[in-house]
Amino acid sequence: MKKKWSKFANIYKKLKLNAKLFITITLIMLTTLVFVLGGLQYSFSLYDEQLYAKSSQVLMMSSDSIEEELERVEEVNYNIAVDPQIQKILMELQGNVNKYDFYRLEQELEDELAKYVGSEKYIQSIYLFDLAGREFLAGSSSNPIKKTDKDLAFKQADKDDGENHWMVIDGNNGDLMSVRLIRSYENLNFERLGHLIVRVDLDKIVRDLPKPQGEIAGNIVMTKGNQIFYSEKGINLPKDYQLRAKNDQGYGIENINGERTIVNHIKTDFQEWTYWSIIPFNMMFSKITAAKYTLVSVFMFMFVLLITLGFNFLRKITNPILDLATTMQEVQKGDFTVVHSLDPSMSHEDEIGILYQNFKTMIEKIDELIQENYSKQLLIKETEFKALQAQINPHFLYNTLESINWLARTNKQEQISNMVQALSHLLRNSLSFKNDIITFKEELDIVSSYITIQKYRFDDKFHFQMDIPFFVAKYKIPKLILQPILENTFKHVVESSVDTSFIKLSAYQQEGKLFIRIEDNGPGIDPLIIQKVKEGKVKPRGTGIGLNNIDDRIKLYSGEQYGLKIENLSGKGTAITVVLPAQTG
C-alpha cells in the first residue's frame, strides 16, 4: 500500500500545474460531497424510519376502522336472526300455505329485511332462505349470488351452527358475505328456520377510510393466509404474486411489476386476516430523491464554477511559465531562435516578467558564445583535416617513386611509360586541395591508377577483384580513403607472401549507410593492436599514419558513429570496412 501511495505521489509531482489544480480541487470537492451526502443519508434514514412507523400506524388505524364496520354488520346479522317477527314468518312458512298467504308473508318478510338494509350504509343486500330454499331479498339485486357460492354458504352456516361466518366470494373483489344459520328461539327449541346472508361492499368501506395526504398514502390489500381476497383500486398485482407475512407486523421493500415498493403489513385476530399497505417507492421517496438530485446538481454546478474560476486565475500564472518551459525545451534541442517568439506582453515588472527578460538575455549570450565557438571549431577541424590529408601525400609518393626506380633498374622496358602515366594521374588527384570531398566513382579512378602501378610492380603475385553496384557511384566521400587501405594491404599481405594474394573491394548500402569492404587472404591484423596504437600504448611500424589517419578523417567528416572496422576472417585474412553516410551532398 505504501509503495502504491509513493508511486501516485511521484506521478502527481510530475504533472503540470493545471492538472495538479484540477486534481486538488476535485479531491476537495469530492471529500466535501462524501461528508455532506453521508450526513444527509443519515438524516434521510431517520426520516425513512419515521415514514415507516407512520405508514404502519395508518395501516393499523385503517384495519381497526374496517373491522369496526364489519362488526356492526355482524350485529345487524344477529339482530335479523333473532328478530321475533322474522322468526314468526319463517315458522308460518314451514306449514302448508296457499299462494295468497305466501305472497302476504313474503311481503312482510321483505319489508322487515328492508329496515335492516337501510340501517348500515355498507350493507349491499340481505338474502334470507327458508328451509324450503325459497329466497327473500332486500337491497340491491344487480349482482345475484351464484348457486355454488350459495351452497357453500349454507354448508358453512350449518357447520358453524348459528355463529356468524365471514365468507369471501371468489372473483368479486371486496364482496363479503356474513353468513348465519337461523334457529328458532321460541320456547328455546332451536329448530332450524333458514339461512341468512348479508352482503357487504368492502370496497366502499375502504374508500371511505380517512387517508393522509402525501408519501404515506398507500393502497390497501387484504389476505387470508396466502390468498388475496381484496386489493384496492389503483394497484395492479401480478396474478402469481403472493404476499407472505413472516410475523404479525412489519415492513419491507419488494419488487412489484418491476418497481421497488414499500410493503407494510399487520395481522389481526379478526378472521385471521392480514392487512397490507402497498406504497410505490417513488411515491414515498419522491421528495427525498428530488432533494438528493438537487443537492448533487448544485454541487456539480459549484464544482464547474470553481474549476472555471480557478483555471482562469491560474492560467494567468501557469501559461507564461508553460510558454517559458516549452521555449526551454526547444533551446535544449539546439534551437535558439525560439526566444524571439516569446510573448512580448510578458515583459512587465512582476516576477514572471523578470524571469522572461533574464532568460531571453541569457539565451542570446549563449547563442553568441556558441556561434563564436562553432566558427573556431570549424577552423580547427578544417586545419586538422588538411594536415591529416597532407601527411598521406609524401608517404605514398615516396613508395611510388621507389617502385618506379626499382622497375627501371630491373626491367628497362617501355612499361615504365604506363606506370608513369598512372602515377601522374594518381598524384594529380591526391595532391589537389581543390576538392576534399569527391564522388565514389572518382575515388575508384584513383584506386584503378594505384592498382595499375601495383600490377607492374608485383605482376601476377596478386589477384584484385571489384564488386561495386552502379548506384553507389554517386555518393560523396572524403578523398583518398581507399588507396591508403590498399597500400596497407599490399605492404602486409602481398609483399610478405610468396603465394598469390587475393584482394577484393566491394560496397553496399544498408539503413542509410554506405559500407566499403576490402578483404584479403593475408595473415590478419589484430584489432587490439590497432586500438593500442590509437591510444598511444604501442608504437606502430612505419609512419603510423595510414589506418589511424583514415579513421580520424572519416569521423571529422561524418561523425563519431562512422569510421573503420577491422575484423579477422574465420578462415585466413583481414576485412576492413569503411562506414560512411550514404549521401549525395
Side-chain angles (χ1 to χ4, degrees):
M1 184 66 183
K2 187 176 181 180
K3 292 182 178 180
K4 290 183 178 180
W5 176 254
S6 178
K7 182 179 179 181
F8 289 136
N10 292 332
I11 295 175
Y12 179 82
K13 292 178 181 178
K14 296 178 182 179
L15 294 176
K16 295 183 179 179
L17 289 178
N18 288 343
K20 289 181 179 179
L21 174 69
F22 177 80
I23 293 174
T24 303
I25 295 180
T26 301
L27 290 177
I28 293 174
M29 295 294 289
L30 289 178
T31 303
T32 304
L33 178 64
V34 168
F35 279 104
V36 172
L37 289 181
L40 287 175
Q41 187 64 31
Y42 177 72
S43 300
F44 290 150
S45 64
L46 297 179
Y47 179 65
D48 294 346
E49 292 179 1
Q50 294 296 324
L51 286 178
Y52 292 141
K54 187 65 177 177
S55 61
S56 297
Q57 183 180 2
V58 170
L59 180 61
M60 184 178 296
M61 294 173 58
S62 299
S63 65
D64 290 342
S65 298
I66 293 172
E67 291 177 1
E68 183 179 349
E69 295 296 336
L70 294 180
E71 286 175 354
R72 290 179 182 176
V73 174
E74 283 188 23
E75 186 177 353
V76 172
N77 182 297
Y78 175 76
N79 292 333
I80 295 173
V82 299
D83 187 296
Q85 184 64 27
I86 294 177
Q87 288 210 354
K88 179 182 177 183
I89 297 173
L90 290 175
M91 292 183 65
E92 291 181 13
L93 288 173
Q94 289 182 1
N96 293 323
V97 294
N98 54 37
K99 291 183 179 180
Y100 173 78
D101 290 335
F102 177 80
Y103 176 76
R104 177 180 57 80
L105 293 173
E106 181 182 19
Q107 290 299 317
E108 291 179 4
L109 184 57
E110 291 181 352
D111 289 341
E112 289 294 327
L113 294 177
K115 297 177 183 179
Y116 291 102
V117 170
S119 65
E120 289 292 335
K121 63 178 180 179
Y122 300 115
I123 295 178
Q124 183 177 357
S125 57
I126 300 176
Y127 294 85
L128 194 150
F129 301 88
D130 62 6
L131 291 179
R134 289 170 293 193
E135 178 183 305
F136 303 92
L137 171 65
S140 175
S141 60
S142 59
N143 187 17
I145 300 176
K146 298 179 182 178
K147 185 178 184 304
T148 54
D149 294 333
K150 182 177 66 175
D151 294 340
L152 184 60
F154 288 173
K155 289 181 181 180
Q156 190 64 48
D158 294 340
K159 181 179 179 181
D160 290 343
D161 196 21
E163 294 290 334
N164 180 75
H165 175 79
W166 286 100
M167 179 178 172
V168 179
I169 301 178
D170 293 336
N172 294 331
N173 185 44
D175 196 353
L176 290 177
M177 295 191 306
S178 176
V179 180
R180 187 187 297 271
L181 175 65
I182 302 177
R183 288 183 177 273
S184 173
Y185 288 95
E186 185 178 357
N187 299 326
L188 298 178
N189 56 12
F190 301 111
E191 293 181 359
R192 295 163 56 94
L193 299 178
H195 296 90
L196 176 63
I197 298 177
V198 180
R199 298 185 68 172
V200 180
D201 190 352
L202 179 59
D203 190 58
K204 186 176 181 182
I205 297 177
V206 174
R207 289 199 307 269
D208 290 345
L209 291 174
K211 286 192 176 182
Q213 299 296 322
E215 296 90 345
I216 59 175
N219 295 314
I220 293 178
V221 176
M222 299 171 63
T223 61
K224 186 171 184 179
N226 295 328
Q227 186 66 32
I228 298 175
F229 65 86
Y230 172 75
S231 61
E232 188 177 359
K233 294 181 180 178
I235 182 169
N236 183 22
L237 296 175
K239 293 182 179 179
D240 57 347
Y241 184 78
Q242 289 186 343
L243 293 169
R244 299 181 182 274
K246 297 181 180 180
N247 44 39
D248 291 341
Q249 185 176 357
Y251 63 86
I253 299 177
E254 297 188 16
N255 192 310
I256 300 178
N257 293 325
E259 183 179 1
R260 297 181 67 194
T261 306
I262 306 298
V263 179
N264 292 332
H265 74 274
I266 181 172
K267 188 175 183 180
T268 66
D269 295 333
F270 186 85
Q271 300 295 316
E272 296 183 352
W273 289 352
T274 303
Y275 297 82
W276 303 80
S277 176
I278 310 297
I279 309 173
F281 191 88
N282 292 333
M283 180 187 297
M284 174 172 279
F285 293 96
S286 58
K287 292 183 180 179
I288 298 177
T289 304
K292 290 181 180 178
Y293 283 128
T294 301
L295 178 64
V296 174
S297 299
V298 171
F299 172 81
M300 294 304 298
F301 173 77
M302 293 299 298
F303 175 77
V304 174
L305 180 63
L306 287 176
I307 288 294
T308 303
L309 294 177
F311 275 177
N312 289 335
F313 174 75
L314 191 65
R315 191 179 292 114
K316 297 179 181 179
I317 300 175
T318 58
N319 280 1
I321 296 177
L322 291 175
D323 189 21
L324 193 60
T326 303
T327 305
M328 289 180 178
Q329 291 177 352
E330 295 298 325
V331 170
Q332 185 179 2
K333 296 177 181 178
D335 185 7
F336 291 89
T337 60
V338 293
V339 295
H340 302 296
S341 63
L342 290 175
D343 190 357
S345 63
M346 292 294 106
S347 59
H348 34 70
E349 298 300 325
D350 60 6
E351 291 82 353
I352 296 178
I354 295 173
L355 184 63
Y356 260 65
Q357 291 300 324
N358 291 341
F359 176 74
K360 187 175 182 180
T361 302
M362 179 185 67
I363 294 302
E364 289 176 350
K365 290 183 179 180
I366 292 175
D367 190 29
E368 291 177 2
L369 292 174
I370 290 177
Q371 293 297 331
E372 181 180 352
N373 183 65
Y374 183 69
S375 299
K376 291 180 180 179
Q377 290 296 326
L378 285 179
L379 181 60
I380 292 173
K381 285 192 175 184
E382 184 177 359
T383 303
E384 291 177 350
F385 190 84
K386 296 291 186 181
L388 290 171
Q389 183 179 1
Q391 291 178 358
I392 298 175
N393 299 330
H395 180 71
F396 173 69
L397 181 59
Y398 297 149
N399 291 333
T400 305
L401 290 176
E402 182 182 354
S403 298
I404 295 175
N405 185 38
W406 174 80
L407 185 63
R409 289 199 315 267
T410 56
N411 294 321
K412 296 180 181 181
Q413 297 181 4
E414 296 180 357
Q415 296 175 344
I416 297 176
S417 174
N418 296 331
M419 286 188 65
V420 170
Q421 290 179 1
L423 177 61
S424 175
H425 180 266
L426 189 61
L427 291 175
R428 187 165 46 251
N429 286 280
S430 62
L431 295 177
S432 174
F433 292 95
K434 184 177 180 180
N435 294 318
D436 296 327
I437 307 300
I438 61 176
T439 63
F440 188 42
K441 182 178 182 302
E442 293 172 337
E443 180 73 7
L444 289 178
D445 291 340
I446 297 175
V447 169
S448 297
S449 299
Y450 178 76
I451 293 299
T452 299
I453 294 173
Q454 297 296 358
K455 280 185 177 181
Y456 284 114
R457 180 183 174 187
F458 294 104
D459 197 12
D460 295 331
K461 197 177 179 181
F462 73 94
H463 178 71
F464 181 76
Q465 178 184 355
M466 282 200 306
D467 183 10
I468 308 298
F470 71 93
F471 60 85
V472 301
K474 60 182 178 180
Y475 292 134
K476 296 293 184 70
I477 63 174
K479 185 170 64 175
L480 285 177
I481 59 171
L482 298 183
Q483 184 272 332
I485 298 175
L486 289 171
E487 180 183 359
N488 187 75
T489 302
F490 274 95
K491 181 177 180 179
H492 295 285
V493 177
V494 179
E495 290 183 3
S496 61
S497 176
V498 294
D499 299 323
T500 302
S501 301
F502 294 93
I503 302 172
K504 180 180 179 181
L505 174 62
S506 60
Y508 61 93
Q509 179 183 347
Q510 184 177 352
E511 296 181 355
K513 294 181 179 180
L514 175 63
F515 296 86
I516 305 173
R517 187 177 178 89
I518 299 175
E519 302 177 16
D520 63 65
N521 62 343
I525 302 176
D526 189 353
L528 295 177
I529 299 299
I530 298 298
Q531 182 65 27
K532 290 180 179 179
V533 170
K534 292 178 66 66
E535 296 174 355
K537 297 179 180 179
V538 176
K539 292 185 178 180
R541 292 180 295 171
T543 61
I545 294 174
L547 297 181
N548 285 349
N549 177 271
I550 295 171
D551 187 60
D552 291 339
R553 288 175 59 204
I554 293 174
K555 285 180 167 53
L556 285 172
Y557 165 69
S558 305
E560 291 297 326
Q561 68 269 35
Y562 300 97
L564 294 184
K565 294 182 179 179
I566 303 174
E567 58 178 317
N568 286 320
L569 301 179
S570 58
K572 185 179 180 183
T574 304
I576 300 176
T577 303
V578 181
V579 184
L580 292 165
Q583 56 187 18
T584 59

